[in-house]
Amino acid sequence: MAYGGSSSGDPNRFGTEAFYASLGRAFVAMCAVIPVLFLIEALDGWLGNPFDRSVGIVPHHIEGLDGVFFAPFLHHGFDHLYSNSVPLILLGTFVLAAGGRRFLYSTLFIIFASGLGVWFTGSPNTVVVGASGVIFGYLGLLLMRGLVERSWWNVGVVLLVGLLYGWQLIGGILPSDPQVSWQGHLFGFLGGLVAAILFRRRRTDTPYAMS
């Protein structure tokens, strides 16, 4: 009677071949997303920036509600997009490495949590765009996933990002800079915490073979 199987085939187990292979594929996929965002920003600039005004989030206005979904794909210029690109690739890679379906469901949940939070609590005289709400959502997701699934390398990633960005993360969820949508960051982070619980990996019985 033989219990279990080779851990090298588990993409969720840190240090296995499958883990590194999954991480590599996720990194390539996230790197492919960034040129699409730059293409959208270039097209928006060439047309005179109509996208931000037409499909950005305008808090408390019904006509700005569609921005809840579209805003993460838009940015206020290339500097804004540059600042979001590296953390989006880094955090998105680790979120995606845990599975494409979980990544999709979690990302959509974070987008709507962040966007609706901005729409309900933001200033009605602003137009909010950018992927930073999703970035903070990924932070919350990895942190809570590490605790819920006892995947400590997820917590390690969050600590690494904390060391790299430090006060920017803390200031991002506090009402400090009027040019920064702290509401999107805060609700994105909270959405990530909830998404980690809703879309957590279900533990199954250990497979075995009898002989």
Side-chain angles (χ1 to χ4, degrees):
M1 182 181 295
Y3 292 88
S6 175
S7 62
S8 64
D10 186 358
N12 295 295
R13 187 179 181 85
F14 181 81
T16 63
E17 294 179 7
F19 172 83
Y20 291 119
S22 178
L23 203 62
R25 290 192 296 268
F27 177 74
V28 171
M30 290 306 302
C31 285
V33 170
I34 302 303
V36 175
L37 297 181
F38 272 90
L39 181 61
I40 293 173
E41 187 59 30
L43 180 61
D44 187 36
W46 182 64
L47 294 175
N49 301 307
F51 297 163
D52 293 359
R53 296 189 298 270
S54 60
V55 290
I57 301 174
V58 183
H60 308 293
H61 293 276
I62 295 298
E63 62 270 20
L65 191 57
D66 55 354
V68 167
F69 177 77
F70 292 109
F73 302 97
L74 306 172
H75 290 81
H76 285 305
F78 287 107
D79 288 343
H80 186 202
L81 179 52
Y82 282 130
S83 66
N84 280 340
S85 295
V86 173
L88 185 62
I89 291 175
L90 176 62
L91 294 171
T93 293
F94 285 97
V95 175
L96 177 56
R101 182 176 298 180
R102 296 173 70 195
F103 172 82
L104 178 61
Y105 291 162
S106 297
T107 301
L108 288 175
F109 187 88
I110 290 169
I111 285 175
F112 283 107
S114 175
L116 289 174
V118 169
W119 192 83
F120 278 110
T121 65
S123 171
N125 300 318
T126 59
V127 178
V128 180
V129 295
S132 53
V134 175
I135 293 170
F136 275 81
Y138 287 163
L139 267 176
L141 187 148
L142 290 173
L143 177 60
M144 182 59 75
R145 180 180 289 175
L147 299 176
V148 171
E149 300 182 11
R150 297 182 181 178
S151 178
W152 303 118
W153 65 265
N154 279 297
V155 178
V157 172
V158 175
L159 293 177
L160 173 62
V161 172
L163 291 175
L164 291 175
Y165 290 94
W167 177 250
Q168 297 178 44
L169 298 177
I170 299 175
I173 59 176
L174 299 175
S176 53
D177 188 344
Q179 300 297 319
V180 175
S181 175
W182 62 271
Q183 297 97 329
H185 299 169
L186 176 60
F187 284 100
F189 183 80
L190 295 176
L193 296 178
V194 175
I197 298 173
L198 292 178
F199 309 116
R200 64 187 180 277
R201 181 163 55 95
R202 308 293 179 178
R203 295 186 179 275
T204 56
D205 293 335
T206 303
Y208 63 89
M210 299 181 64
S211 60

